Amino acid sequence: MSVPPESGTGLDFHAAVERIPFLRSLPPEDLGQLRSRAQCRRLARGEALWWEGEPSGDFIFLAGGRVKLVKSSAGGREVIVDLCGPGQLLCSSAVCGATPCCCTAVSLEDAGHAVVISRRDLLDLLEMSPAASRAFLHQVTGRDMDLSRRIQELAAGQVDRRIAGLLLRLTEQLGMPHKDGGTWVPLVLSRQDLADLTGTTIETTIRVMSRFSRQNVVHTAAKGFHVTDSGALQDVARGEGA
């Protein structure tokens, strides 16, 4: 994979462990085995961790920031498969199966951090440690459930339902109370990102988001978006809203 090594990342292994459930759940002896082999790396906004079709070789856990997984269609259109946040294991299936990467991973934020562990090192640990195997299975199962929800989201029908469902999921994952009421989501997504996440065109996305703004449901800002009426979003996601 393409994540380059970098010194002075500002995040040591101990701090990264606290941000990654899989590592945090390991017994001390298992952590000790990985400590000298794992690499902590800093990610810049727009940096590709790996490219679609590239050989896989490392397990990458996100310790900070957010990453989008992008896949190209046969017609050359890009679709964002998912957004990943701190603690998540990125695309483990390709690494486990030693197959080429099925998507491209791009950092959405400056000062993101990743922990990189080679396939051989992690698989060796899983073979020797039942505790590590159970923790890894839990991590992978949770990721599969997340991807199942994404499939349901993309198959939701009309575009406004897909966009509403996406915004609700991000609100649930990242939301915090806003001083004026409602929920603030500190994630910057362009209209193109929203279009790629919901499998539609940027023109349609602009039209839907403009309507949400006029109806005082969602307002976008420079550093995220403000959900002022989550109930209305839920109605739209269920196909009951205008």
Side-chain angles (χ1 to χ4, degrees):
M1 289 190 179
S2 298
V3 181
E6 180 180 328
S7 59
T9 63
L11 186 75
D12 61 19
F13 183 73
H14 177 74
V17 166
E18 293 305 310
R19 301 182 183 186
I20 299 171
F22 168 70
L23 296 178
R24 196 167 60 239
S25 66
L26 294 180
E29 57 272 22
D30 291 346
L31 270 180
Q33 180 174 331
L34 290 179
R35 187 184 304 274
S36 62
R37 303 179 183 182
Q39 295 180 311
C40 296
R41 297 180 178 173
R42 186 168 182 167
L43 308 174
R45 181 178 175 85
E47 177 183 348
L49 285 74
W50 68 77
W51 297 95
E52 183 176 350
E54 179 180 305
S56 61
D58 299 321
F59 289 99
I60 300 181
F61 297 84
L62 198 58
R66 300 196 75 79
V67 166
K68 64 179 180 180
L69 305 179
V70 183
K71 187 167 182 62
S72 299
S73 68
R77 176 181 174 79
E78 288 191 343
V79 175
I80 298 179
V81 177
D82 202 7
L83 297 177
C84 302
Q88 287 188 283
L89 170 61
L90 308 181
C91 291
S92 60
S93 56
V95 186
C96 286
T99 58
C101 300
C102 63
C103 60
T104 298
V106 180
S107 175
L108 287 172
E109 302 175 19
D110 282 319
H113 291 91
V115 173
V116 183
I117 306 172
S118 76
R119 174 169 50 226
R120 187 67 271 156
D121 286 339
L122 186 52
L123 293 183
D124 283 348
L125 175 65
L126 298 181
E127 287 178 5
M128 294 186 298
S129 170
S133 295
R134 288 192 296 269
F136 187 77
L137 180 62
H138 180 76
Q139 178 95 31
V140 171
T141 301
R143 185 76 188 115
D144 286 345
M145 292 174 65
D146 289 340
L147 290 174
S148 294
R149 284 192 287 268
R150 269 295 286 155
I151 292 171
Q152 293 174 349
E153 197 173 89
L154 287 168
Q158 294 181 330
V159 174
D160 57 349
R161 293 184 61 186
R162 299 204 297 271
I163 293 177
L166 170 67
L167 296 177
L168 284 170
R169 178 167 64 88
L170 295 175
T171 300
E172 178 182 342
Q173 292 175 345
L174 305 173
M176 58 187 67
H178 191 279
K179 61 183 178 65
D180 297 325
T183 306
W184 171 251
V185 181
L187 177 65
V188 179
L189 291 175
S190 68
R191 293 295 188 263
Q192 186 63 63
D193 287 335
L194 286 171
D196 292 342
L197 275 163
T198 52
T200 187
T201 64
I202 188 170
E203 293 81 8
T204 301
T205 301
I206 291 172
R207 196 159 53 244
V208 171
M209 291 301 293
S210 296
R211 188 175 80 245
F212 286 167
S213 179
R214 289 195 307 271
Q215 295 173 342
N216 197 32
V217 174
V218 179
H219 298 282
T220 55
K223 296 184 178 181
F225 59 90
H226 179 198
V227 177
T228 52
D229 191 344
S230 60
L233 268 186
Q234 290 169 359
D235 288 344
V236 174
R238 290 193 297 261
E240 301 171 3

